[in-house]
Amino acid sequence: MGPWPGDDPLEATRIIRGELGNPHLPFLAELPDRGVGSDALGRTASLLVELAVDVQPHGWRLVDRPGKDMRRAASALSTDLHVLADVAGAEDISAAELKVQLVGPLSLAAGLYLHNGERALLDHGARRDLAASLAAGVGSYLTRAAAAVPGTRLVVQVDEPAIAAVLAGTIPTGSGYRTLRSVAATEARESWRLVLDALRAAGANEVVVSFPEIEAPIELALSAGADGVALPLKALTNRQWEQVAGAVEAGKQFWAGALDVPAGGPLPKVAHCVDSVWRPWRQLGLPPSLLRAIRVTPAAGLAGHTPAQATAVLHRLTQVADGLNQQALG
């Protein structure tokens, strides 16, 4: 899903592209262990145009001009893209696709702070400016990613980890005595549409919005133009499965977080992971042929694992994909 253990982008890139060659989907790793600027929020904030951020004790804050924290985030991303170019350039056969990821506009507004210590989510104008700034900045990101692996098909994952709290109005204010007003579904849809349109204009072939399973607004994201959604399977309700089924039948993608591995815990068995997808699939009356709409993923990022454990997770994912392919073929 993006986060990867360790602080060596060369090792991470070699492992990921080695495990996830064709027909799988290698990704550009995020390495939060490197520190400030290598976390998902800081990396995405470094893409903003005409908005700047720095780090304060309470987190990333919007400021008047770029400082060392924003430069550090931008530098780490540039390093990762250069490493990707070197590794991909040395491959005999490069994977046909590459996934990059970024934090979506609503979770970005929930994670960034204003000068007064409140979250940017509090202010409608700040939310609007952040979405516009992110939309303006994704073009350069995708251009550099495409240049690193020429001819690749670009897939973008837009992460919205805070979406349930944003839409429900349960995020606390700076004082902690009240909560921020909920964001209307119509505004959320338009924010996503703005960023998704910019990603496609910049060359994205597929854009999927990633949610936690709790209160995931599946239909809202699809109505904003997403090509699909990514969800962990461990707590999906029957209603959510029905929404997934409707999306798949309409030609959308479903990234199924079928591999739930606690840090340091044992890998789940292949048969169990396959069954976590195949059993509800059959119960919904979906034909095996539609399994082609699925990608299998970990239920969460892998930064809490060791590099060896994370590598084992990727290998197990390819086994789960093979198991689902066998179901699709009957």
Side-chain angles (χ1 to χ4, degrees):
M1 300 307 287
W4 187 263
D7 56 10
D8 184 347
L10 180 59
E11 177 191 44
T13 303
R14 284 174 172 167
I15 290 172
I16 291 165
R17 294 187 69 81
E19 291 291 335
L20 300 180
N22 285 331
H24 306 294
L25 180 63
F27 58 96
L28 184 67
E30 297 166 355
L31 301 171
D33 288 349
R34 283 191 297 190
V36 172
S38 291
D39 57 296
L41 192 68
R43 171 168 286 200
T44 300
S46 75
L47 305 176
L48 296 174
V49 173
E50 296 183 356
L51 291 177
V53 293
D54 69 6
V55 175
Q56 296 296 309
H58 52 272
W60 287 93
R61 178 188 66 168
L62 290 162
V63 293
D64 294 331
R65 60 184 62 86
K68 61 180 177 60
D69 297 322
M70 192 168 185
R71 289 194 294 270
R72 183 176 176 182
S75 175
L77 178 56
S78 293
T79 295
D80 293 349
L81 290 168
H82 287 311
V83 168
L84 172 63
D86 290 342
V87 173
E91 294 170 344
D92 293 331
I93 301 176
S94 287
E97 297 180 301
L98 171 70
K99 178 180 75 71
V100 298
Q101 55 280 329
L102 51 89
V103 176
L106 299 173
S107 295
L108 188 64
L112 296 179
Y113 289 83
L114 302 171
H115 289 276
N116 61 8
E118 291 289 357
R119 297 175 190 268
L121 189 69
L122 173 72
D123 185 275
H124 178 269
R127 298 196 301 267
R128 181 193 60 226
D129 291 348
L130 275 171
S133 179
L134 181 60
V138 296
S140 173
Y141 182 25
L142 264 61
T143 297
R144 289 184 290 161
V149 190
T152 195
R153 182 178 184 271
L154 285 177
V155 178
V156 182
Q157 170 189 317
V158 178
D159 290 320
E160 287 285 8
I163 191 60
V166 168
L167 295 178
T170 58
I171 293 179
T173 60
S175 67
Y177 290 112
R178 59 188 181 89
T179 57
L180 300 179
R181 182 177 298 176
S182 62
V183 172
T186 53
E187 182 184 338
R189 183 187 298 110
E190 290 311 307
S191 293
W192 284 334
R193 191 184 303 279
L194 182 67
V195 174
L196 268 55
D197 286 349
L199 287 166
R200 289 204 179 82
N205 298 98
E206 180 182 328
V207 184
V208 167
V209 183
S210 175
F211 298 126
E213 69 276 13
I214 304 301
E215 301 297 330
I218 297 170
E219 293 174 344
L220 188 63
L222 298 177
S223 68
D227 295 305
V229 292
L231 294 165
L233 296 187
K234 54 187 175 182
L236 284 192
T237 64
N238 289 337
R239 180 174 178 272
Q240 288 174 318
W241 267 112
E242 289 168 359
Q243 291 176 329
V244 166
V248 168
E249 289 176 326
K252 300 294 186 178
Q253 297 288 310
F254 176 43
W255 293 10
L259 201 62
D260 185 21
V261 188
L267 290 174
K269 295 185 181 300
V270 173
H272 173 77
C273 295
V274 170
D275 190 58
S276 71
V277 177
W278 180 235
R279 180 171 37 80
W281 204 259
R282 287 181 300 171
Q283 291 171 347
L284 290 163
L286 292 169
S289 61
L290 281 182
L291 284 171
R292 65 179 181 273
I294 284 188
R295 295 186 190 272
V296 287
T297 76
L302 302 176
H305 297 68
T306 66
Q309 291 167 341
T311 304
V313 169
L314 297 190
H315 183 67
R316 180 57 50 90
L317 277 177
T318 65
Q319 295 174 322
V320 173
D322 287 342
L324 285 170
N325 280 339
Q326 291 173 23
Q327 298 291 354
L329 295 171

